[in-house]
Amino acid sequence: MEKPTFSKRISAGTRVYYIDVHIDRKGQPYVAISEIPTDKSPNKKQRQRIFLHRENIEKFARAFAEVATHIKNDSKG
């Protein structure tokens, strides 16, 4: 995977998240979301990734916003 054309880093406790924009071989942009544990354990840290292609970004953004609103407003915990 080549370097991203745009990247945001989110530091969140024992994890770091990266939201990166890449360009595929056809010249189309896509988003790669990575999660990397930062704890001090001696075990190998496994990077987890999901990929979102241009045609699915709006659906993902709407679903994420809905879930975030639910957690902020409706969850008791």
Side-chain angles (χ1 to χ4, degrees), residues 14-63:
T14 61
R15 306 222 180 261
V16 175
Y17 299 95
Y18 293 92
I19 303 173
D20 300 324
V21 176
H22 292 273
I23 303 297
D24 69 14
R25 292 179 184 173
K26 296 178 183 177
Q28 298 298 311
Y30 67 93
V31 174
I33 301 173
S34 303
E35 173 192 55
I36 304 169
T38 60
D39 61 1
K40 304 296 184 213
S41 68
N43 300 335
K44 183 178 178 184
K45 295 177 175 114
Q46 184 71 26
R47 178 185 291 235
Q48 303 292 323
R49 283 191 181 141
I50 63 168
F51 300 97
L52 301 168
H53 295 275
R54 176 187 283 189
E55 63 270 16
N56 298 313
I57 289 174
E58 285 299 321
K59 291 182 224 175
F60 184 88
R62 283 193 302 271

